[in-house]
Amino acid sequence: QELADMIKDSSKITFFCGAGCADSAPEVIALAKYLKAPIAYTFRGKEWMEYDNPNGVGMTGLLGWGDAYRAMHDSDLLIMWGTDFPYRDFIPAKCKIAQVDIRPENIVRRADIDLWLTGDVKGTIIALYSLIEEKTDDSHLKKSLERHEKAVSRMSAYVDDCKGQSPIRPELLTHHLSEMAND
C-alpha cells in the first residue's frame, strides 16, 4: 500500500531495473506502460529490459547510454526493481526512491531509500495492480523517449558515417553481424 501511495502521489515515475527482473520483464514493461514510466536499466538488467521495450531509455552507470541517467534524475519517484546497483553517484538524490528486491541484504545498501520492499518483482507487481490506477500524463515518458532517440541517433553515426573506412570500425562490424544473425 505504501508503494501504491507513492505512485499515486507522483507524476514523473522512472523504473530502474536490474537482473532481478529476469523472470518478470513482461510484467515490468506492462506496468511501466500503465504508469507512463520510462525504464532505465543496469548492465546486468540490459539482457532482460533492452529488447522489445517501448519504454526503454537505455542504461546508466559507467557504461551508460541513452536517456537513462536523465530520466532517473528528472523523476519524482524512482522505483528500483531487482537491482543492487553499485554506483551511488548515478542514483538521484532529489527524488523519492523505492527499492524492491528479493534479497534483503541488497536493500538500502547503495542509496538512500524512502521505501524498501523485500520480495519478488513479479509478485510485487501483480499485487500492486489492485492498489493503483493507470496514469494519464505521459509527458515525462515522452520527453525521455525523445531525448533517448536523439542519443541513439548520435550513436548511429559510428555505423552510418564510417562505411568504406579501413580498418573497419568495430561498431560497423557488430552492426552487420547483428543484421545477419537469426533471432
Side-chain angles (χ1 to χ4, degrees):
Q1 184 61 56
E2 287 181 66
L3 181 55
D5 291 342
M6 290 174 84
I7 289 169
K8 179 184 172 208
D9 295 338
S10 300
S11 61
K12 297 189 297 184
I13 301 167
T14 300
F15 288 4
F16 186 40
C17 301
C21 294
D23 296 327
S24 56
E27 290 80 10
V28 172
I29 292 168
L31 183 62
K33 287 181 186 178
Y34 193 71
L35 297 178
K36 314 300 185 268
I39 299 175
Y41 43 85
T42 66
F43 180 70
R44 292 189 58 221
K46 176 179 171 42
E47 179 178 0
W48 316 109
M49 301 310 304
E50 183 173 36
Y51 301 101
D52 298 324
N53 182 351
N55 289 33
V57 294
M59 190 167 65
T60 194
L62 297 176
L63 300 173
W65 67 281
D67 193 61
Y69 180 89
R70 178 102 180 258
M72 290 168 58
H73 285 262
D74 284 354
S75 63
D76 56 8
L77 174 61
L78 177 68
I79 305 176
M80 297 173 62
W81 297 101
T83 182
D84 183 30
F85 187 67
Y87 306 108
R88 182 179 275 275
D89 292 343
F90 293 90
I91 301 292
K94 295 182 180 177
C95 70
K96 291 188 183 272
I97 301 176
Q99 183 177 7
V100 178
D101 203 299
I102 200 162
R103 295 173 30 206
E105 67 272 16
N106 289 348
I107 304 288
V108 191
R109 197 161 73 147
R110 314 265 195 207
D112 297 325
I113 306 296
D114 297 284
L115 174 68
W116 56 92
L117 299 171
T118 301
D120 169 76
V121 171
K122 185 187 289 188
T124 302
I125 289 173
I126 291 168
L128 195 57
Y129 268 110
S130 65
L131 303 172
I132 60 173
E133 294 180 9
E134 184 173 6
K135 296 283 187 179
T136 56
D137 180 0
D138 64 354
S139 58
H140 174 59
L141 173 62
K142 279 185 174 179
K143 285 179 189 173
S144 185
L145 289 171
E146 287 169 9
R147 290 189 306 252
H148 182 67
E149 185 59 38
K150 287 179 185 173
V152 169
S153 179
R154 284 190 304 271
M155 289 183 349
S156 295
Y158 290 109
V159 173
D160 299 335
D161 298 342
C162 67
K163 291 181 173 87
Q165 285 185 2
S166 182
I168 189 170
R169 291 192 60 102
E171 297 87 354
L172 183 61
L173 177 62
T174 54
H175 170 77
H176 285 301
L177 289 173
S178 180
E179 292 296 310
M180 289 188 250
N182 65 31
D183 287 343

